[in-house]
Amino acid sequence: MSDRIGILRDGRLVQEGPPEEIYDRPQSEFAATFLGDANIFRGDATGNGIRLPDGTAIAAASGASLSAGAKASCAVRPERIQISTGSATSEAGYANTVRGQVSKRIFAGNNSTYFVDRDGQTLKVIVQNTGAERLAEGQEVMLSWSPESTVLIAA
C-alpha cells in the first residue's frame, strides 16, 4: 500500500490520508466498508456515541462531533470485537456489549470468522484460534468491544 490513499465515490473524494488512519478512523460508512470489513450500527447520536433503536447505548471514543438526537452510525472492525458465551467476563474497558446468536463459523487455520445475528443484523467477528472454546452455530453469545475501537460517523 502507498503512504497515502484517497477513496472516491461517484467521482468525489470521500476521505484521504494514510491507510492506517482511514482504516482506524473512517469518516463515512462508505470509507469504513471500502477499506476492510466493518460492522455498522445505526441510531441516534448521544454526544459520545449512539443509542440503537432498541435502547442499547454504543460509546465511541473518536469520530464526528454530533449533537444529541442527530442520526448517526458507529463503525467497529470485526477483529476488535470479543466474543464469549456470556458466562465469561469481558476484558476491562470493553464497555460496549450486545447479545446475539452465532449463525455461522468459518475456520481459516489461524483464525475463525463468526457471523452473529442480532435483531435482524448480521455482525462479523474475527478471532484468533488459540485453542479456546470454539462456539457452535445457534449458540447464544455476548459481543463486547471498547469505545476506543468504535468510530462515530454522521449519517
Side-chain angles (χ1 to χ4, degrees):
M1 255 192 201
S2 62
D3 293 340
R4 297 184 73 74
I5 61 173
I7 297 177
L8 299 173
R9 182 178 188 185
D10 299 325
R12 299 178 65 203
L13 184 65
V14 175
Q15 188 171 351
E16 176 268 330
E20 295 88 355
E21 177 183 303
I22 294 174
Y23 186 81
D24 289 336
R25 303 290 176 248
Q27 296 174 357
S28 68
E29 287 184 21
F30 182 80
T33 57
F34 183 85
L35 190 60
D37 291 323
N39 293 296
I40 305 293
F41 294 91
R42 293 179 183 91
D44 297 321
T46 61
N48 66 340
I50 63 171
R51 184 162 311 283
L52 302 179
D54 69 1
T56 302
I58 304 291
S62 65
S65 295
L66 302 171
S67 58
K71 292 294 178 196
S73 59
C74 284
V76 184
R77 298 291 179 187
E79 69 277 7
R80 308 267 171 88
I81 298 175
Q82 179 182 2
I83 187 169
S84 68
T85 58
S87 57
T89 57
S90 63
E91 293 180 30
Y94 281 48
N96 295 318
T97 60
V98 295
R99 292 198 174 277
Q101 184 176 42
V102 175
S103 60
K104 185 175 185 180
R105 178 177 78 91
I106 300 172
F107 176 80
N110 66 331
N111 67 52
S112 288
T113 301
Y114 290 94
F115 294 90
V116 177
D117 289 337
R118 180 196 181 275
D119 291 338
Q121 179 180 16
T122 300
L123 304 171
K124 185 176 185 179
V125 181
I126 300 172
V127 298
Q128 293 295 308
N129 289 327
T130 60
E133 175 187 14
R134 292 196 173 115
L135 304 171
E137 292 180 11
Q139 190 166 2
E140 296 290 327
V141 293
M142 182 174 66
L143 306 180
S144 56
W145 65 95
S146 71
E148 289 74 25
S149 296
T150 312
V151 180
L152 183 62
I153 300 170

